[in-house]
Amino acid sequence: MVSRALCGMLLMAATGLCVTGDMVTSKLIEKAHWPYWYLVVASSLLAAVFNGMAVYCFKMELPSRSDLKWVISRSVFEDLHWILAVIAVLIGASPGDVAALTSVDIIAAALFGRVFLREELGIWHFIALVLSATGAICIAQPEFIFGLSEGRQQSPLGYFLALLSGCFQAASFVCARKSAHLSVGVLTFSSLVFAVPMALMPALLPMGPKPTWEPVLANPGIALGLLTMLSMWTMAAIGLPAAGATRCPAAVSATVFTTACMVSGYISQIVFFSEVPKVLTLLGAACMLLSVIIMALPSTESEPEPSDDTEAPKAASEVPGEASETSDTQEPQTETVEADDETMSLGSFVASEVSFCSSHVRRRTRRFTKPKVLPRAIGAICA
C-alpha cells in the first residue's frame, strides 16, 4: 500500500525525531550528573542482546563475506555519527545547531562525484556550496567575525564535531544502500555491537567527565527507567536508519533526515533548555537546508543525444540475417556492464546516489538499453 521509497522517507523522518530525543535526553542526564556514558554502554549491550536473540530466533540470513565490508563500514560510520553528535551537544552546542550543521553530509557526499568521477561542477553546485558555508558561519558565529556575543555559549569544538558527524552520516547512508538486500535485524545488531566499545571510549578518556555512582545507588528505580529509555532511543536511532536508508537514495535519506532533525532540534531547544534561536541562527539553518534541497533535486540539464555508434547495434539488429550475430555480440557487453556495476567502487556509487548529473554509470547503461531517458530517483519517488 505504501511504496518502498515513501516508506524509507517516513522511517528517516522518524529517525530524525529519535536522534533529537536522544540528544536531549543525554543533555538532561549529563546535567543531573548521572554516569551517562556507562548508561549508554549498558543500554547498547542490553539492546544488542535482545536484537541478537531476535536474529537467532527468526533465523535471519547472515551477510556473506562480500557483504561484510559494507555491514561493518555502515555500523562504524553510523555509530560515529551518533556519538559525535551527542558529544557535540554535551560540550555546549545546542541540539538545533548540531542538527543544522550535520546537513553538510549531502554536500560532502555529492562532491565525491567530482573527486572520483571527475564530473564537472555546475552553477547549482557552487550555489549550494556557498549556501552551506554561509549557513555554517551564521550558525557557529565565530568570534573573529561576529565578536563575542553576550548571552551566547560558544562551542567551536562542538560545531566541528557536528560537521564531522555529518560526513560520517553521509558515508553510513551510502553503505546502507550497498547493503539494502540484508535483513534490518542483522544491520541493527551489527551497529549495536560496535556501539558498545565506542560509547565506552569517552568515559575512559583522561579528559572525560568523572562519573559518580551515587545517584544510581540512591535511586535504583530511576536508574532502571533511564536505562530503559536509553535502550529504546538507541534501538530506534540505530534500527530506523537501517530500515529507512536502504529503501531510498542517499540524497533523499539525508534531505528528509536533516529536515526532521533541524525542526525537532530547535523546538526541543526552546522547550527543554529555554534557548530561543536568534534570527541569524535561523537564517543559517535555512541556508543549510536550502543547500541540501538544491543538491538533492534532479538535474534539469538536457540529456545528450546518443551518438551514431550507439544506434549502430539497433540498426544492425533490424536485418534478419544479422539479428542473431548482433545479439550474440551485445550479450557479453551487457553482462560486462552488469558485472562492473556489481563491483562499483565506493566513489562511483556515491556519485550515482547523490549527484544527479549524468555519470559514467548512467552513460554506460544508456548505451545498451533502448530507453533514451532514465527515470530520476527523486522523480520516481514523487510519482
Side-chain angles (χ1 to χ4, degrees), residues 61-79 172 174-192 194:
E61 185 178 357
L62 299 179
S64 61
R65 181 176 297 181
S66 59
D67 292 328
L68 279 178
K69 59 182 179 181
W70 299 112
V71 174
I72 295 175
S73 299
R74 180 205 165 273
S75 301
V76 173
F77 290 142
E78 178 67 25
D79 291 336
S172 70
V174 172
C175 295
R177 289 287 287 170
K178 292 294 284 187
S179 54
H181 58 285
L182 299 177
S183 170
V184 175
V186 173
L187 295 176
T188 305
F189 175 73
S190 174
S191 297
L192 289 171
F194 282 97

Side-chain angles (χ1 to χ4, degrees), residues 196-346:
V196 173
M198 287 190 182
L200 191 61
M201 289 177 61
L204 297 179
L205 291 176
M207 68 287 297
K210 301 302 178 184
T212 174
W213 295 95
E214 293 180 2
V216 178
L217 298 177
N219 304 285
I222 298 179
L224 183 60
L226 290 176
L227 183 62
T228 304
M229 182 184 299
L230 287 175
S231 299
M232 294 175 60
W233 283 131
T234 303
M235 282 286 293
I238 293 179
L240 288 178
T246 57
R247 286 169 167 77
C248 54
V252 180
S253 300
T255 305
V256 175
F257 177 83
T258 299
T259 305
C261 268
M262 198 178 298
V263 174
S264 59
Y266 281 116
I267 292 177
S268 63
Q269 178 179 326
I270 297 173
V271 173
F272 292 99
F273 305 108
S274 301
E275 297 179 6
V276 180
K278 297 182 179 180
V279 177
L280 190 60
T281 302
L282 295 178
L283 179 61
C287 289
M288 297 290 288
L289 182 59
L290 183 59
S291 67
V292 172
I293 295 175
I294 290 176
M295 296 296 283
L297 285 176
S299 176
T300 57
E301 296 176 2
S302 59
E303 295 287 342
E305 293 296 329
S307 57
D308 296 337
D309 58 345
T310 306
E311 299 293 337
K314 180 178 178 181
S317 62
E318 295 176 357
V319 182
E322 299 179 0
S324 59
E325 181 180 354
T326 304
S327 61
D328 292 341
T329 58
Q330 285 186 358
E331 287 180 0
Q333 293 174 330
T334 306
E335 293 176 359
T336 303
V337 172
E338 293 177 355
D340 291 341
D341 290 341
E342 289 296 326
T343 58
M344 194 187 309
S345 65
L346 177 60

